Amino acid sequence: MMTNLLDVENLWVKFPTRQGVFDAVRGVSFTLGRERLGIVGESGSGKSMTGRAILRLIRPPGIVEADQIELEGVDLMQKSEKDMRAVRGQRISMVMQDPKFSLNPVMTIGDQIMEAYRLHSKASKSEAYAKSLEMLEAVSIRNPERVMRAYPHEMSGGMGQRIMIAMMLIPNPEILIADEPTSALDVSVQRQVLDIMDRLVKERGMGLIFISHDLNLVADFCDRVLIMYAGRIVEVCDADKLHEAQHPYTRGLLNSLPRLDAPRKRLEVLQRDPQWSTAPSVSGRI
Amino acid sequence: MSMLTVQDLNVWFGSNRDRVDAVIGASFEIPRGESFGLVGESGSGKSTILRAITGLAPDWSGAITVDGQQIGKARPKTFFKTVQMVFQDPYASLHPRHSVDQVLGETLHLHGFKDIDSRVVKLLDDVGLGQKFRFRYPHQLSGGQRQRVAIARALAPEPALLLLDEPTSALDVSVQAEILNLLADLRADRGLTYLMVSHDLSVVGHMCDRLAVMKDGEIVEVLDVAALRAMEAAHPYSKQLLEASV
Amino acid sequence: MAETQTLREWLLTETPTSRRHAKMSALYQGWLSFRSNTMAMIGLGILVALVVVAAGAPLIAPHDPFVQELSNRLAPLGAEGHILGTDSLGRDILSRLIYGARITLYIVALVALIAPIAGLLVGTVSGYVGGWTDTVLMRITDIFLAFPRLVLALAFVAALGAGIENAVLAISLTAWPPYARIARAETLTIRSSDYISAIKLQGAGALRIITKHIWPLCISSLIVRVTLDMAGIILAAAGLGFLGLGAQPPSPEWGAMISEGRRFILDHWWVATMPGLAIFTVSLAFNLLGDGLRDVLDPKAGE
């Protein structure tokens, strides 16, 4: 029996609008062990909202409701905003899609990493510097001293994303939430970044929530996959069995991809069944 | 007869010390009715070729011939009746304060059409949108619907050559399938020639007859799709790209 | 279906059926989000009241603002027949404030017509055309920006002669450069966007692109800026009036009224305070309105 790092039960994210309350996430339940859990879905399926809601990062007027979001037995929903700040970064980190928007453009990368480190531990400046170098090396950056002095705009997308990962890993979190961490990157760089994440997660025994729209990528990279549609989980399956998925939505998504090895005259178009969005959410709990 | 010939095209930005060469010595030819793909990673200069052809990148040298006509620095109005472009990001390519009707109406007006109302109606039907979308604003449309509007705008002057700059990379896969099908149908119906830029080899493999692989501003290899599917790329870089995308 | 539809539903529909319907619907949506901002509604309320008061001045004002009653000069607040008292010549302060609203509105309307339009023209042309045009136009803008506003206005009024029209002109001449700057900055970002590229590919010329595609996007941020600046403009007009270079006596311009009341400010404080309060209220109203409009109009704020 795997120990659960995170146990989410009946999570809702609601946005009141003029036309009534819009439910972005509707009754999602899942657990996360020391594994790589993929959440896939199209835009608007609520996959990013789920990631943010775990950290209670939904801005008002959005509302997060859940029976529980337990991090190793402690319910995050009961925590005050101040206690949550200690959780964010320290115990659960998040990597966003585009490193350009996550790094401060007027600070050197070294300063930013060191600041992130010293925010969470009372280390001296030289300790922080040594630790930052070590982390940059851990994400396969060859020339860490030079990168420490550089500004974000001098970095390529792949480098920027590695730096973000380095920053997120410094406080040694138990859980890493990666929201489309590679979709802004070229395919060849994508691989490298994923390999780095994979290695770090394995070495440190972290739990990883990997949010993506790319089914093939998730099938390759994760252990278990939640497929989301219209704010609900429609299917849960093991990643290596994703191509044998049963739900018509998952099948439709897979079939709508053009494939080099199987040329077709026309691509299959996904026929959406309104029932998918009303059917209750499948539980992803173990 | 060839629809588009590009010979020894160089495109650069800035001047003197800040000069960046985005495209270096690119040459290729697209026969009428063919669909040709340009593949490469970001920064390889593939989109810049499209911008040079349409005149959006002003600094270029070499020869571009469209439908037998050599293109000079200034493009006459008739040029845009032959060549049209669909942009990558449908969220950025529609004016946020113009309704679908205004977008298409203005385009038709600029090309000197008189029967604007009936043409707007027809264009919307052609791209599978229908009349209820006519008076909506972009923020009331989904990404796929916006891209359909952008395609309708490009079709309005009845061009022969359509330049497609990553037309589906900002869309979900299920919507991508719809748009790719639409583009394939339009090409079959109207005998269009496509020049399609993409980073996704499987999309180009699905849509195109031949493709060129670009790296750092240069075309490293031109091959047909059959060779691509058989994984028979000659250049090491193309091989590497192919392996990364399977 | 269509018969049972209420007007509200018709306006809030996602599928408008005609050009007019789409326009009305967009306007109504904007109004709804504006209405939810209480402070902005207060601002709008004050300004509507100001317009009503100015329009109906002869009906509302209890006295003629120019009639002097020297036997009853400097009457205190709440004096019989004069709720807000009288000034040094025995004129009813309330009536003068009511008639002064007309002058304030006149100034505001004229400046709001001249300055932003001049700024919009200079800024968008400069931003879109670029090159030498940009350099020349922006250096001229810099020259205007280099002077303190009131000093420059003073110089203009001194050259043109004192009077309300010249004061308006002088304020407008000093007010346009910031608008030009804003419009230019907006144009620079809009210029490189895909939708401008797309319309260029339809063969559209610079004039069409500027007027039909860039202006509609610049105007909203300018309107916001103008409403926020209105307070400053009213104060500048009042300042010129105070210095005797704006409206001339016996015109009941609020700034001139403060100037007159200044001599008695220690013993008869209300003579200067009442027009001061009026200026304060209207300035505040414009600021509140501007804040609300920013939420509705600024495309960057939403989504």
Side-chain angles (χ1 to χ4, degrees), chain A residues 186-196 217 220-221, chain B residues 244:
Chain A
D186 284 322
V187 263
S188 55
V189 189
Q190 217 169 50
R191 262 281 136 229
Q192 295 167 10
V193 171
L194 288 178
D195 288 344
I196 291 165
L217 191 71
D220 257 16
F221 181 67

Side-chain angles (χ1 to χ4, degrees), chain C residues 23-60:
Chain C
K23 276 250 150 58
M24 303 274 287
S25 175
L27 277 177
Y28 186 64
Q29 304 255 0
W31 166 244
L32 281 185
S33 61
F34 182 80
R35 208 178 58 180
S36 61
N37 186 336
T38 322
M39 294 312 276
M41 284 305 284
I42 293 175
L44 184 69
I46 294 173
L47 293 175
V48 168
L50 182 76
V51 172
V52 170
V53 164
L59 300 173
I60 300 169

Side-chain angles (χ1 to χ4, degrees), chain B residues 51 54 56 77 80 84-85 87 92-98 101 106-107 109-111 117 134-136 153, chain C residues 13-19 22 194-195 197-204 208 212-213 216-217 220 297 299:
Chain B
R51 298 184 84 82
T54 50
L56 293 173
K77 251 191 161 168
F80 297 114
Q84 276 296 321
M85 180 155 157
F87 293 85
S93 71
L94 295 178
H95 195 286
R97 297 279 162 92
H98 285 182
D101 179 64
E106 183 175 24
T107 305
H109 169 77
L110 280 166
H111 287 284
D117 265 335
R134 183 168 171 191
F135 299 103
R136 292 207 197 173
R153 171 176 61 195
Chain C
T13 179
E14 284 282 295
T15 53
T17 49
S18 68
R19 268 166 223 164
D194 278 352
Y195 49 85
S197 299
I199 195 71
K200 273 190 199 160
L201 293 193
Q202 313 302 339
R208 171 179 284 268
K212 293 214 163 163
H213 294 257
L217 292 173
S220 48
L297 291 175

Side-chain angles (χ1 to χ4, degrees), chain A residues 42-43 186 188 266-267 272, chain B residues 41-42 172 174 181 185:
Chain A
E42 299 186 281
S43 49
D186 284 322
S188 55
R266 287 181 71 81
L267 294 168
R272 286 158 207 274
Chain B
E41 304 204 309
S42 53
D172 283 321
S174 62
N181 283 342
D185 292 346

Side-chain angles (χ1 to χ4, degrees), chain B residues 27-101:
Chain B
S27 302
F28 59 91
E29 187 177 356
I30 309 176
R32 185 178 284 275
E34 194 187 63
S35 173
F36 188 86
L38 277 176
V39 181
E41 304 204 309
S42 53
S44 62
K46 51 193 195 311
S47 296
T48 311
I49 291 186
L50 299 193
R51 298 184 84 82
I53 295 171
T54 50
L56 293 173
D59 296 324
W60 55 275
S61 68
I64 302 174
T65 316
V66 173
D67 206 8
Q69 299 264 330
Q70 177 120 14
I71 299 175
K73 288 285 162 196
R75 282 159 187 72
K77 251 191 161 168
T78 51
F79 172 81
F80 297 114
K81 270 181 119 53
T82 319
V83 183
Q84 276 296 321
M85 180 155 157
V86 176
F87 293 85
Q88 173 176 11
D89 183 0
Y91 291 88
S93 71
L94 295 178
H95 195 286
R97 297 279 162 92
H98 285 182
S99 67
V100 174
D101 179 64

